[in-house]
C-alpha cells in the first residue's frame, strides 16, 4: 500500500535499530517511503533491515542502513552527504536516537553518565538536526519555488519526562527538556528555509522489554517515589493515566507521521504529547 504523503519521500530515521525507530522504518517503508536507517548498533540495524524486508510484500522496499554515531559531527556530516547522494534528496527526518541513562536519585547520580546522556540526547540530536537542515536548505535553494511553502519536516523525539521531571531520571529529564527548547528555537531559525521542526513526547508505551525493564529499574532505584516491587510500580504508573492503559508503539508512529507529513503543514515549533493524558493540565 502506498500513501501519497510518504510515497517516494526520503525519510532519515535515527535510532533505527531501536524499538521506535525499527517500527517507524517498517511503517514508512510499507507506505512507499525511501528509508535511510541510521544507528550506531550494527547488529540492531541489520535486524531492522531484515524486518523491513519481511514486512513489505511484493515490491522491494527502498531502505539503506548507515552505521553512524550521532555524537560524531564528522561521521554525521559524511553520512548525511552519502544519504543525499544515494537518494538524490532528503524530505524528512525523524531525529529519534536516544539513551535513558542511569535510573538513580539525584544524590547518587553519576556526573559522567549525566554528561553522556546530554551528549547523546541533546548534542547528538542537534548535530543530526543541523546537518540534515543544511542539506534541506540547500535543496530548497536548488528547487526554487515549490507549491508547498514548507516542504521539509523534522520530528525530534522528546519525552513526557521533560514535562514532569521523572524521579530518578534527572539526566534524561534534563536532556528531553533541552530537546523541547531546541525544537522551538530551531523551528524559528529554519522556517525561512522551508523546514518545519516539531517534537513528540511519548510516555508509558508498552507492553514489551522497555516497559518491563523500566519498571524493574525504577523498583530497584531506592527512590521513595517507587515501590520496590516492579509489578506495583507498573500498576501505580498506569493508575495515574486518565485513559488507564499503556500506549502502543503504533500510536507513537501515527503521531510522528502526522508531524512529518503535510497533514500538519501549518504546525511548527510544537510538542505533541502521546501519553493518555498523564501530563495534561494547565501550566502556571
Ligand atoms: N520507549 C519509550 O517508552 C519512550 C518513551 C518516551 C521517549 N522515548 C524516546 O524515544 C526514542 C527511541 O526510544 P526506544 O524505546 O526506541 O529506545 P531504544 O533503546 O530501543 O532505541 C534507541 C536507539 O538509539 C540508538 N543510539 C543510542 N545512542 C546512539 C548514538 N550515539 N548514535 C546513534 N544511535 C544511537 C541505539 O543503538 C538504539 O538502537 C529515544 O529518544 C527515547 O528517549 C522512548
Amino acid at each position: 500500500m502506498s500513501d501519497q504523503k510518504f510515497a517516494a519521500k526520503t525519510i532519515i530515521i535515527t535510532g533505527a535499530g531501536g524499538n521506535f525507530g525499527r517500527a517507524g522504518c517498517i511503517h514508512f517503508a510499507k507506505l512507499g517511503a525511501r528509508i535511510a536507517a541510521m544507528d550506531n548498533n550494527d547488529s540492531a540495524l541489520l535486524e531492522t533491515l531484515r524486518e523491513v524486508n519481511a514486512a513489505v510484500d511484493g515490491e522491494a522496499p527502498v531502505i539503506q542502513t548507515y552505521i553512524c554515531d550521532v555524537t560524531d559531527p564528522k561521521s554525521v556530516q559524511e553520512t548525511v552527504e552519502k544519504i543525499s547522494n544515494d537518494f538524490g534528496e532528503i524530505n524528512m527526518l525523524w531525529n529519534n536516537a536516544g539513551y535513558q541513562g542511569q535510573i538513580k536519585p539525584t544524590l547518587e547520580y553519576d556526573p559522567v553518565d549525566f554528561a553522556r546522556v546530554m551528549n547523546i540526547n541533546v548534542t547528538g540530536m542537534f548535530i543530526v538536526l543541523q546537518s540534515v537542515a543544511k542539506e534541506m536548505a540547500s535543496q530548497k535553494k536548488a528547487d526554487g519555488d515549490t507549491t508547498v511553502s514548507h516542504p521539509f519536516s523534522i520530528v525530534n523525539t522528546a519525552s513526557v519526562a521533560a514535562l514532569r521531571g521523572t524521579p530518578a531520571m534527572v539526566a534524561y529529564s534534563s536532556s528531553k527538556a533541552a530537546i523541547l527548547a531546541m525544537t522551538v528555537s530551531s523551528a524559528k531559525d529554519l522556517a525561512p528555509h522551508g523546514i518545519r521542526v516539531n517534537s513528540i513526547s511519548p510516555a508509558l508505551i508498552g507492553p514489551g522489554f522497555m516497559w518491563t525493564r523500566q519498571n524493574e529499574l525504577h523498583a530497584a532505584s531506592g527512590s521513595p517515589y517507587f515501590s520496590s516491587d516492579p509489578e506495583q510500580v507498573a500498576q501505580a504508573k498506569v493508575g495515574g493515566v486518565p485513559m488507564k492503559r499503556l500506549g502502543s508503539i503504533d500510536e507513537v508512529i501515527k503521531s510522528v507521521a502526522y508531524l512529518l507529513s503535510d497533514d500538519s503543514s501549518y504546525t511548527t515549533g510544537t510538542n505533541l504529547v502521546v501519553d493518555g493524558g498523564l501530563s495534561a493540565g494547565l501550566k502556571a
Side-chain angles (χ1 to χ4, degrees), residues 101-110 167-171 217 221 223:
Q102 296 179 331
I103 308 275
K104 279 193 178 162
T106 295
L107 292 182
E108 290 146 44
Y109 206 98
D110 179 0
M169 295 184 80
V170 64
L217 289 169
S221 70
S223 165

Side-chain angles (χ1 to χ4, degrees), residues 15 17-20 39-40 68-70 96 98 157-158 172 176 202 210:
N19 288 286
F20 286 4
D39 206 291
N40 65 348
C68 175
D69 184 332
V70 296
N96 169 69
T157 306
Y172 186 77
K176 294 298 186 178
M210 292 292 279

Side-chain angles (χ1 to χ4, degrees), residues 177-198:
I179 290 169
L180 298 185
M182 189 194 307
T183 300
V184 177
S185 181
S186 62
K188 290 174 182 170
D189 283 339
L190 297 175
H193 299 280
I195 304 168
R196 298 185 297 112
V197 187
N198 294 290

Side-chain angles (χ1 to χ4, degrees), residues 153-175:
S153 181
I154 295 175
V155 175
N156 298 322
T157 306
S159 167
V160 165
L163 307 170
R164 283 168 51 96
T166 309
M169 295 184 80
V170 64
Y172 186 77
S173 301
S174 304
S175 73

